[in-house]
Amino acid sequence: MTNFIVPVDFSVDSLKGLEWAVLFSQKKSINIQMIYVLTNSSNFQPSVVEEEHKYAQAQFKKLIQEYKPRLGKESKLKFIVKKGKVYREIVNQVNSFKDAVVSASTHGASGFEELFIGSNALKIMAATDQPVFTLRHSPIPGQIKKIIVPIKRHRDTRQKASIAGDMAELFGAELHVISLSASRNKRDLERVESYARQMVNYFNARNLKSVTKTLVGDNLPNMTCNYAEAVDAELITIMSSSIDKLNVFLGSYAQQMVNKTNVPLLSITPKEKFIHSGFSTYGG
């Protein structure tokens, strides 16, 4: 995570993505690139588009003047103005980097609420293999002390281990590995808890502090959100594996988490992967 792509529409809410990136800049050297997308309308005259472009540049210069002194670790803050569909331009920008993440508020003006609320949030996750941070109503924390790592029955659920471990190392955070199950069937519970033990063993091998908890109930997103709020966590990591790449559908765990949680959320796309000193996992 050396490049943070931050969608900005200059509303107060949209700046949460920038605040989150600044938090990371205080721990490691990163490049933050704010992005504003000009309205893509055939009805707009060139003079109107040019005026909007000048406005965006002026606003970005003010943001750089305000936020640059807050950056740490020789991090850099830049901006880019693009034209087109907001969702597509954000995806194109994050995909243009090898090691990048999206850091975005789920609320704002100029269409950002439409972009991130509901299934449109999943379109970004589905269109990029890069991690996506989404942030809702709560203020951005000054530190990350507790990270929630939900474990489900899917094999790729364990792929959160590497990136969750990296976050914990970066901030000195405690990892909360929670086994989630909608079934009380002994076999199902043993499978989820087995995955959780593998995760904990991996964290122990990296000398990271972790705690475990098993939660059983009908609504996995609600259980995750309630637990995160109960322990005052600052970050939840999830896999976006439930996203259908061709037809993003409503009702998935990832989609509900984006809509429900007020805790910063990190969504990771699963890949076939082997974690050294840990275990092998497979996406899909």
Side-chain angles (χ1 to χ4, degrees):
M1 294 189 183
T2 56
N3 297 286
F4 277 65
I5 306 303
V6 183
V8 172
D9 62 13
F10 309 117
S11 65
V12 173
D13 278 329
S14 76
L15 297 182
K16 288 184 178 180
L18 179 57
E19 295 275 354
W20 185 253
V22 169
L23 176 63
F24 277 77
S25 79
Q26 295 164 1
K27 296 294 182 179
K28 63 180 291 188
S29 178
I30 63 173
N31 298 311
I32 303 173
Q33 186 178 64
M34 299 176 288
I35 177 173
Y36 177 82
V37 182
L38 297 171
T39 305
N40 187 14
S41 173
S42 58
N43 296 326
F44 269 19
Q45 299 177 354
S47 59
V48 177
V49 175
E50 182 179 355
E51 190 66 26
E52 186 182 0
H53 193 284
K54 290 180 179 178
Y55 168 79
Q57 287 185 316
Q59 293 299 310
F60 273 134
K61 290 177 181 178
K62 291 180 182 179
L63 289 176
I64 289 177
Q65 186 176 11
E66 178 183 353
Y67 282 90
K68 192 172 182 180
R70 295 172 52 186
L71 301 180
K73 305 294 183 180
E74 300 181 350
S75 295
K76 297 179 181 178
L77 178 61
K78 299 181 179 180
F79 69 87
I80 186 171
V81 179
K82 306 191 75 174
K83 185 174 185 295
K85 289 187 177 292
V86 176
Y87 138 73
R88 288 180 182 173
E89 295 306 321
I90 293 171
V91 169
N92 289 341
Q93 199 61 24
V94 72
N95 285 348
S96 68
F97 293 94
K98 182 180 180 180
D99 186 11
V101 298
V102 176
S103 176
S105 168
T106 60
H107 286 73
S110 306
F112 276 98
E113 182 169 356
E114 178 186 355
L115 169 66
F116 285 106
I117 291 299
S119 62
N120 283 319
L122 302 187
K123 289 181 181 178
I124 285 189
M125 300 176 198
T128 179
D129 288 335
Q130 309 284 35
V132 178
F133 286 109
T134 50
L135 307 115
R136 292 190 76 217
H137 302 293
S138 298
I140 300 302
Q143 180 62 277
I144 298 177
K145 298 179 180 179
K146 295 178 182 178
I147 300 173
I148 307 301
V149 188
I151 303 299
K152 297 164 60 186
R153 290 178 56 194
H154 305 291
R155 289 183 298 173
D156 58 31
T157 192
R158 295 167 292 176
Q159 287 192 26
K160 295 186 288 287
S162 180
I163 196 166
D166 291 343
M167 297 295 99
E169 280 186 345
L170 190 63
F171 289 93
E174 179 181 75
L175 294 150
H176 286 241
V177 182
I178 57 173
S179 301
L180 300 175
S181 178
S183 168
R184 296 185 180 275
N185 180 278
K186 183 178 179 181
R187 183 176 179 181
D188 292 338
L189 286 172
E190 287 179 347
R191 179 177 179 181
V192 176
E193 291 177 344
S194 174
Y195 287 166
R197 286 193 297 272
Q198 292 176 3
M199 188 84 78
V200 169
N201 289 339
Y202 172 74
F203 292 147
N204 289 341
R206 294 181 61 173
N207 296 315
L208 299 172
K209 185 178 180 180
S210 64
V211 298
T212 59
K213 182 77 173 180
T214 298
L215 301 175
V216 181
D218 295 330
N219 195 313
L220 302 190
N222 278 353
M223 288 193 298
T224 306
C225 295
N226 291 340
Y227 181 87
E229 293 178 8
V231 300
D232 294 323
E234 292 85 10
L235 178 63
I236 301 173
T237 62
I238 66 169
M239 301 302 299
S240 55
S241 56
S242 56
I243 296 174
D244 184 330
K245 295 293 184 179
L246 299 178
N247 181 27
V248 178
F249 55 86
L250 299 176
S252 72
Y253 176 79
Q255 189 255 352
Q256 290 183 60
M257 287 300 299
V258 170
N259 289 346
K260 289 183 176 182
T261 184
N262 288 323
V263 177
L265 185 70
L266 173 59
S267 304
I268 306 160
T269 300
K271 304 174 184 177
E272 184 173 340
K273 185 173 186 179
F274 179 80
I275 303 174
H276 293 289
S277 75
F279 42 82
S280 60
T281 65
Y282 298 87

